[in-house]
Amino acid sequence: MSTLADTAALFADRTRAAFCEALLDGRAWTSGELARHAGVGASTASEQISRLVAGGLLTEERQGRHRYVRLAGPEAAALTEALAGYAAGTPRPRTLRAAVRQDAEARARTCYDHLAGRLGVALADAMSARGLVDTASGIAVTPAGRAWLADTLDYRQPAGSRRPLVRTCLDWTERRSHLAGALGAALCAASLDRGWVRRVGSGRAVKVTPEGTTAFGELLGVGV
C-alpha cells in the first residue's frame, strides 16, 4: 500500500509532474507524445511512466507497439489539479505560442472530465445561484439540480455508483472552485457532444461555440 510520502514523491520529479498535468485533458497519450511534451528522451519517459503506473496514478494499455497511458481516474485527476492549485503561481510562458495556449486554457479548458477555467467557475456560480447545487454546508446537488440533470443533460446517476454526484475542484488559474464529480462530467460530456464547446489544438483548452453561447445563456444565464 502506498503511503502519503510515496504518493507525494511521484510528483516530486518535474517530468512525472508534467506527464500528470498533460493527462488532465482526459485523453490517452502515447509514451512518445508525453516524451515530446516534457522534452525528455524515450527511455526517460518510459521509466517515469512505469513509476507512475506502479504508484497507481496512471493506467496503461497497449495497442500494437504503442503504449497508451491515462490518469487512473477522477481521484488521480483531482489530486493533480489540487497540487497545481497549491503551486506558487503559474509560470510565465517563454514563447508566444505558450502564452497563447496559457491564455486559452485560463479562459476555458478541460480538467480531466469536467470544465475548468473562467468558464468552469462561471458555470459553477450559475448552478449555485439557480439552486441546482447547494453550498450552504459543503456541496450537494439539490432536488431541482437532479431534475435539471435528467431533463437537460439526460443524466441519471447509476444505482450503486461510488462516484460523488458533485464535488468542488480548486481551479489553479482562477483560485476558486469549479464543479467536478458526476455532474461536472455530465456537463462537460454534453458540452462536447452537443457542440457547445470544441477542443482547441492538442492541449486542454476548449472554445465556446456560438451554439454554446446560446445554450449556456438560456440554460444557466451565463454570458460567454
Side-chain angles (χ1 to χ4, degrees), residues 147-186:
W148 187 88
L149 275 170
D151 298 339
T152 304
L153 302 185
D154 195 28
Y155 176 82
R156 295 167 180 80
Q157 190 172 31
S161 174
R162 299 178 61 184
R163 187 175 191 184
L165 185 55
V166 67
R167 65 171 181 80
T168 57
C169 183
L170 179 64
D171 196 293
W172 63 270
T173 55
E174 295 300 294
R175 303 291 168 158
R176 295 182 57 213
S177 293
H178 53 253
L179 299 180
L183 180 152

Side-chain angles (χ1 to χ4, degrees), residues 23 28-31 34 45-54 56-63 65-73:
L23 291 166
W29 289 47
T30 66
S31 176
L34 287 173
S46 180
E47 176 186 353
Q48 301 303 347
I49 287 171
S50 294
R51 291 194 63 178
L52 289 166
V53 170
L57 287 177
L58 304 186
T59 58
E60 66 177 334
E61 59 183 74
R62 294 184 181 272
Q63 291 186 5
R65 62 186 181 88
H66 293 294
R67 181 190 193 187
Y68 288 89
V69 293
R70 64 173 73 243
L71 288 171

Side-chain angles (χ1 to χ4, degrees), residues 36-117:
R36 289 190 292 273
H37 172 78
V40 298
S43 60
T44 297
S46 180
E47 176 186 353
Q48 301 303 347
I49 287 171
S50 294
R51 291 194 63 178
L52 289 166
V53 170
L57 287 177
L58 304 186
T59 58
E60 66 177 334
E61 59 183 74
R62 294 184 181 272
Q63 291 186 5
R65 62 186 181 88
H66 293 294
R67 181 190 193 187
Y68 288 89
V69 293
R70 64 173 73 243
L71 288 171
E75 295 80 7
L79 178 59
T80 302
E81 185 80 359
L83 287 173
Y86 275 103
T90 305
R92 179 174 296 178
R94 297 182 179 180
T95 65
L96 177 60
R97 181 178 180 182
V100 171
R101 182 179 68 248
Q102 188 177 95
D103 186 58
E105 290 183 350
R107 286 196 301 272
R109 67 183 183 277
T110 54
C111 174
Y112 187 57
D113 62 357
H114 51 276
L115 295 170

